[in-house]
Amino acid sequence: MKRLTILLALLLPAVSGWGQMYRYKADFGLSASDFCDTIRLDLVDERLVLTVEMDGQRRRLLLDTGSGQGVIYRGGAIRGQRELGNVVVADGNNRRDTVQVVTMPPFRMGRLEVSDYVATVMPRPVGNSQFDGIIGFDLFNRGLLGKIDTQSRTLILTDRRKFFDAEPGYEARYRLNWFVPYVMVSPFIRHNDEALFDTGSKPLYTMNKQAFDRHVYKSRQVEAQVEGRSEGQLSIGLLGAEQHDEVVFLHMDRLDWGGFAFRDLRAITTQGASRIGAQMLQYGSVVINPFKKRIKFQPFCGEDSVTVANRHTNVAFVPVDGRPTVGLIWHESDAYRQGLRQGDQILAIDDKPMPTFADFVRFHFVKGQKHRFRLRDREGNIKELDIER
């Protein structure tokens, strides 16, 4: 079998794009005012990580603009939190639950000390051992401007309202929906789509399936950019996988952000919100201004467009009854032609049993090496396929 790319890109690290209902004071304290600080950013699995000092220990917090506030993991490394109560949350697939709310212990990032930072307590996502918790978009809602630059690996934070005004870039106005930023982008000519600016999600762009259906109904030029269709589910929120539905594979001429064009872009539809994800930051820095409610994109290339030329990922695995299962497979893929099907359950890889989805996520795949997958299809038949990771 030719190389199969296994999709876990939409395994959301937290409740990315979640709604929250505040029934408590969600403010937090800062140790300085009239300041500007440059804080180191690390890139882990294409996402943004801040290393903070907390209780004399270093903790790694994901900077996730798709989360309205902080998150810590149940039974995780962060201890000493103060309980506040409970709150109703919804994950990126709009699954809802009631969870505990706490304040984190004080922590320092750069020269800035943060106190009484509010977080929800959530189960750790399967396979996520890189982060101790999350800093959400309330970092900016608190009144801080920020510049995220992945080339210099820095986050510049300031409370000076006009600090970035003179810098060039392509601006998109955002509105807050459940305390997270939604911007208007144009995926097709004369078509607009409201997308969550979500650094907790990796793909540059994913489109809500219901929004796509409205676009395709209005214009033939939208259908012309459909590269394929399938049935299944691929994104995994903290509270479960998305509902089974049609998934559309798009090969878009361009995606417009405030006059800047990402050209030759492949994207996919999901049941969650449309999203602009962390891969956007491979092509430029962004300035977040909460006072003007604008996000300014500053391309590294110095031009008004960039060619993305990414490739579709062919297969997504999701947990079904706790077991690793093929949630989605594209009918045009080599994997489909070799016999892999939606609903196939993984029983073993290289004779190592896979009783849980966590076992599958932790399995050590060797790049360029074929692995023997033992599978059970939806009719109960057993088959084996050689898959190159």
Side-chain angles (χ1 to χ4, degrees):
M1 176 184 288
K2 293 185 179 180
R3 182 169 181 251
L4 171 66
T5 305
I6 298 175
L7 177 64
L8 288 173
L10 292 182
L11 175 60
L12 305 182
V15 270
S16 192
W18 54 333
Q20 305 175 31
M21 296 171 58
Y22 290 165
R23 299 183 183 276
Y24 47 82
K25 185 179 180 182
D27 201 359
F28 54 88
L30 300 173
S31 62
S33 60
D34 191 22
F35 75 94
C36 180
D37 196 10
T38 300
I39 302 166
R40 177 174 172 79
L41 271 177
D42 292 313
L43 293 179
V44 178
D45 195 22
E46 301 183 67
R47 286 169 292 188
L48 310 171
V49 177
L50 294 167
T51 299
V52 305
E53 293 184 16
M54 182 185 296
D55 285 338
Q57 303 289 326
R58 290 189 174 186
R59 303 300 182 201
R60 304 215 300 176
L61 302 179
L62 178 72
L63 179 58
D64 182 358
T65 59
S67 182
Q69 64 187 53
V71 174
I72 64 174
Y73 300 123
R74 192 175 300 132
I78 296 177
R79 304 293 175 87
Q81 58 268 23
R82 179 168 56 89
E83 295 185 11
L84 294 178
N86 297 314
V87 67
V88 176
V89 302
D91 70 6
N93 295 318
N94 294 319
R95 294 179 181 267
R96 295 178 179 273
D97 200 359
T98 301
V99 299
Q100 186 182 25
V101 185
V102 300
T103 58
M104 288 187 189
F107 61 89
R108 180 174 293 276
M109 50 182 185
R111 298 191 301 271
L112 190 67
E113 183 168 298
V114 180
S115 58
D116 296 322
Y117 185 70
V118 174
T120 51
V121 182
M122 306 293 288
R124 181 180 291 277
V126 175
N128 175 9
S129 60
Q130 307 104 311
F131 321 122
D132 297 306
I134 283 172
I135 292 180
F137 197 71
D138 55 350
L139 179 67
F140 306 102
N141 288 337
R142 172 67 169 76
L144 298 183
L145 289 78
K147 180 175 181 177
I148 300 169
D149 187 337
T150 58
Q151 279 194 338
S152 64
R153 303 290 179 94
T154 58
L155 168 66
I156 299 174
L157 279 182
T158 181
D159 59 353
R160 300 169 187 167
R161 294 190 177 208
K162 298 183 179 181
F163 190 82
F164 297 110
D165 282 3
E167 295 198 9
Y170 298 85
E171 286 191 334
R173 186 173 181 85
Y174 69 82
R175 73 176 185 92
L176 291 176
N177 184 16
W178 293 111
F179 310 101
V180 290
Y182 282 77
V183 299
M184 198 65 71
V185 296
S186 176
F188 313 110
I189 296 174
R190 295 184 296 278
H191 288 254
N192 293 320
D193 185 33
E194 191 173 49
L196 173 63
F197 178 68
D198 182 5
T199 58
S201 177
K202 287 198 297 185
L204 195 156
Y205 178 61
T206 54
M207 179 180 284
N208 170 263
K209 176 57 166 55
Q210 288 70 37
F212 169 80
D213 289 340
R214 292 193 295 270
H215 292 307
V216 78
Y217 177 77
K218 295 177 181 178
S219 174
R220 292 181 180 178
Q221 60 106 355
V222 175
E223 184 65 42
Q225 297 181 65
V226 174
E227 201 164 27
R229 297 173 185 264
S230 188
E231 295 280 337
Q233 53 190 153
L234 70 155
S235 71
I236 308 169
L238 271 186
L239 304 177
E242 68 178 353
Q243 298 296 318
H244 184 281
D245 201 354
E246 181 183 59
V247 176
V248 181
F249 295 82
L250 297 167
H251 188 178
M252 300 160 53
D253 296 334
R254 33 66 90 199
L255 174 72
D256 183 88
W257 168 292
F260 184 87
F262 296 93
R263 300 193 180 279
D264 189 13
L265 172 66
R266 286 176 172 85
I268 200 166
T269 64
T270 73
Q271 294 304 303
S274 296
R275 291 186 182 90
I276 300 290
Q279 288 178 357
M280 176 185 182
L281 300 171
Q282 296 177 7
Y283 301 97
S285 57
V286 298
V287 174
I288 299 171
N289 187 328
F291 299 104
K292 296 183 177 180
K293 287 192 168 50
R294 285 177 170 82
I295 300 175
K296 183 186 296 183
F297 178 68
Q298 301 174 316
F300 296 140
C301 66
E303 306 291 338
D304 63 0
S305 68
V306 67
T307 299
V308 177
N310 60 328
R311 300 191 333 190
H312 280 308
T313 305
N314 297 323
V315 180
F317 294 93
V318 299
V320 175
D321 297 328
R323 300 294 297 264
T325 305
V326 178
L328 174 72
I329 183 164
W330 189 19
H331 294 176
E332 298 298 320
S333 68
D334 292 321
Y336 186 87
R337 287 190 283 270
Q338 291 291 332
L340 198 66
R341 294 292 184 270
Q342 197 273 337
D344 284 353
Q345 187 179 88
I346 301 173
L347 303 177
I349 304 176
D350 295 340
D351 295 325
K352 181 179 176 61
M354 293 289 131
T356 70
F357 189 72
D359 292 312
F360 170 72
V361 173
R362 287 193 293 261
F363 184 82
H364 179 62
F365 290 98
V366 179
K367 186 175 180 179
Q369 176 178 313
K370 289 184 178 180
H371 297 274
R372 174 59 61 93
F373 277 57
R374 184 173 175 83
L375 305 141
R376 179 167 52 219
D377 67 19
R378 285 183 290 189
E379 285 71 44
N381 302 311
I382 304 299
K383 58 186 176 183
E384 293 189 348
L385 297 173
D386 290 329
I387 297 176
E388 182 179 328
R389 179 65 174 91

